[in-house]
Amino acid sequence: MKLVFATNNLNKLKEVQEMLSNSIEILSLKDIGCFDDVEETETTLEGNAKLKADHIIQKFGYHCFADDTGLEVEILNGKPGVYSARFAGEPANAENNMQKLLSELSDKKNRKAQFRTAVCLNLDGKQFLFEGICKGAILKKKEGEKGFGYDPIFQPEGYHQSFATMNAEEKNKISHRGIAIQKLVAFLKDDK
């Protein structure tokens, strides 16, 4: 079976391929000649994941899956959420996003947050959704150099370090994306 992962992130692509058995071949957008920039115009993570997955199946005809992720901060009523990548405005900039979030939380005691990933799978004319959540808290300052996005200021529950200090294998076991992809992988293995 061939399945397109609607992402341009080669690290995500490699990670998912390693989790799947050899009977499922994961293709990138580049592999199918897709260089479209699908605008994420929905107001939910699920909506954006569906938008990207639907684009691939409608335009290219491949079974596929897509994801969208957001950081949801409790005291900010779930913000930045679906707008996480552009929280500080255009163009998207992780450093500016982190600084804006730290500034908004500077006088707040409640620093509870969660990363949430929605994955949409289009397979055999049906659509399936998978979700992964990693609860934690926003640190008061950046910690670590690994990862991307908000990783340097997010400390997962039960740990005394940020995502940006963890190696990829350790992070993937507990991360929002890792959990959602593990659910997808389990579904695909059971479905065969």
Side-chain angles (χ1 to χ4, degrees), residues 83-149:
Y83 306 107
S84 293
R86 290 169 181 77
F87 188 49
E90 295 284 353
N93 180 294
E95 183 63 33
N96 292 347
N97 291 337
M98 282 189 284
Q99 292 309 320
K100 179 176 179 177
L101 183 58
L102 290 173
S103 174
E104 289 200 15
L105 295 179
S106 65
D107 61 344
K108 308 281 191 279
K109 285 186 179 177
N110 178 356
R111 300 182 79 83
K112 290 181 186 173
Q114 67 180 23
F115 269 119
R116 190 166 68 85
T117 293
V119 173
C120 177
L121 169 68
N122 283 341
L123 183 68
D124 297 329
K126 295 179 186 165
Q127 198 163 67
F128 306 91
L129 286 171
F130 306 92
E131 180 183 72
I133 293 175
C134 182
K135 294 185 178 295
I138 302 301
L139 296 168
K140 293 193 180 210
K141 61 181 185 179
K142 289 171 38 180
E143 179 184 294
E145 300 294 322
K146 299 176 188 162
F148 57 93

